[in-house]
Structure formats: C-alpha cells, structure tokens
Amino acid sequence: MNREQAVDRLATLVDRVENETMPVPVREVWAFGDVALGLDPVERLDVYLTKDVIMGGDADAAAAFEAEYGVKGIGTSVRAEWAEAHPDRVRASDNGYAAPEKCLAAELVGDSEGRSPSGSRTQSGDSEPIHLEVCNASFEDNVRQRLKGALARDAYEEVLDPRGVCLWVDGTRDEEAFDRLRAGSLAMPTLPAALGMLGADEDVAREAADVLKRRRAEQEGSSVRGDMV
C-alpha cells in the first residue's frame, strides 16, 4: 500500500478503537516500522495496541459462553458484551481461553479463518499486510522489556522496533502525528542506532536488526502477537 493508504488505514483503526466496543479496553495506539520511517510504499503496516485489564467480570456470561462455544475467559479476558455480539470473532489460545490479541485482530483486521470461536491462529494469511502487537504495557516500556529479554537470551527475534509514533492515548488523538506520517517528515535513526540508544552493543544491535529484517521478509498477510509484561 502507498503511504497515504497506510495512514488512512491507521486513522480508520483509531476511529474504531475510539468509537466502538473492542474485545478489551484499549489505552494506546502506536504505529511503527515502515510507515513511521516515511517509506512509500509501505510493505507492512505495524500497529501497537496497549490494552487494559477488564475490571470486574460476568460469571454468568462466562459460563453460558463456555457451555455454548467451549471458550473460557469471557467476561475476564475478553468483554462479555463484545463476545455475545460477535461470537464469530472470538478467538481462543491453545488452552481454550479467549485470547485478547487474537480477538482484537479478528475485530480490527479481520481474518479468513471462518471457524468457530475455539479455532485460532496468529497468522491468518489475509492479503492485507498488517501486523498487530498487543500488550498490557505501553509501547515504550515494552520496547525496553523486550530488548532486555532478547539480549539476555540471544533471542533477537523478540526485539520490538523502537521507532514508533503515538497516534492515540486515553481518548486523545494526535493529529500532528498523523500529519507528519502523511508527509513522511519524522526523523528516525537506523534500527541498529535506535537499539544502541537503548543500550545494545553495536555488534549486537546490527545482528538484531538483521534478524528482524529476515523475519519481516517472511511475513505475509495479517498477523498478531500478544505479550504480557
């Protein structure tokens, strides 16, 4: 997609998060990757969502949904009112519990699975090249936590590109950020330089950047990754 299309898609995502009931409360929306770098075309649209926990719960709704669909956690992991309105979009993890990140992907990006709520996968194979990162922590906190863990385990594929732009937080949209994305006017360092600013040694930062580049080239269609900090 070209940059204008990519930014329009981001605006649509923010509109929906702001005005519609999501599977879980969303506190932040960030863009990172190609669109933040001002590339045109944008090969893949990377979006980060910070989710909040659901307060309280609905035990009756959870029991009823599990009895009908075999999915646990409705009313605690995922909003009961959303699941009851959209049972076809509910996605579960391998342990049978509603998976917030997969439900958000089904709601915001859509997928081609067409399966019951008990079936899910992280790579849908859809043609729309969008990747969602979903976490309970803010983008900046998770960038640091992911890098720290990746460096400790030499698991560079877990690194999160820190070159992000906050588009929406706690109900407030940053129109200037959208304008700058459209203009491609944000000044961003190279990925190794950005990782170096966060404490990675030069050689490690280059290797991590190479790993992320290879993994990114392997991705197709829409995808989602959930994380807990």
Side-chain angles (χ1 to χ4, degrees):
M1 66 183 82
N2 63 45
R3 187 171 65 237
E4 188 69 23
Q5 290 172 324
V7 179
D8 285 346
R9 188 68 174 93
L10 289 171
T12 298
L13 289 173
V14 169
D15 285 343
R16 295 198 60 200
V17 166
E18 188 169 28
N19 298 308
E20 300 178 18
T21 299
M22 292 291 109
V24 290
V26 175
R27 178 161 32 97
E28 296 180 4
V29 181
W30 290 67
F32 63 104
D34 288 357
V35 69
L37 300 178
L39 300 184
D40 195 359
V42 173
E43 297 294 336
R44 192 164 188 79
L45 186 59
D46 293 301
V47 184
Y48 186 96
L49 304 174
T50 303
K51 70 178 187 68
D52 278 331
V53 297
I54 296 174
M55 304 303 294
D58 189 332
D60 292 338
F65 201 93
E66 182 179 356
E68 183 169 358
Y69 296 103
V71 178
K72 303 174 183 178
I74 299 303
T76 53
S77 297
V78 171
R79 281 172 167 152
E81 63 269 31
W82 176 85
E84 291 166 351
H86 308 288
D88 58 315
R89 300 177 195 170
V90 175
R91 300 290 181 264
S93 56
D94 292 339
N95 62 9
Y97 278 83
E101 74 281 0
K102 296 180 182 181
C103 292
L104 277 168
E107 177 66 33
L108 291 172
V109 179
D111 58 47
S112 58
E113 295 176 49
R115 295 188 286 183
S116 66
S118 59
S120 64
R121 57 185 178 181
T122 57
Q123 184 82 24
S124 75
D126 282 356
S127 59
E128 190 175 30
I130 296 182
H131 175 69
L132 298 184
E133 289 276 345
V134 181
C135 185
N136 62 309
S138 69
F139 178 80
E140 294 168 320
D141 288 344
N142 200 15
V143 161
R144 291 178 172 82
Q145 289 295 325
R146 291 263 289 271
L147 180 60
K148 181 179 179 181
L151 295 180
R153 299 187 299 274
D154 292 334
Y156 301 137
E157 69 280 359
E158 297 179 4
V159 169
L160 181 62
D161 190 335
R163 298 168 298 176
V165 182
C166 186
L167 304 177
W168 183 88
V169 58
D170 291 332
T172 300
R173 179 192 300 246
D174 189 337
E175 295 293 355
E176 182 180 353
F178 277 99
D179 291 341
R180 297 188 70 181
L181 286 179
R182 291 187 190 280
S185 62
L186 290 161
M188 294 288 184
T190 64
L191 182 53
L195 296 176
M197 293 175 190
L198 295 175
D201 292 338
E202 184 176 348
D203 291 344
V204 170
R206 282 200 302 266
E207 184 176 353
D210 288 342
V211 169
L212 290 185
K213 183 178 180 180
R214 290 195 298 270
R215 285 183 61 85
R216 184 180 179 82
E218 296 170 355
Q219 291 183 313
E220 295 180 357
S222 59
S223 58
V224 59
R225 183 186 191 280
D227 200 10
M228 288 288 291
V229 174

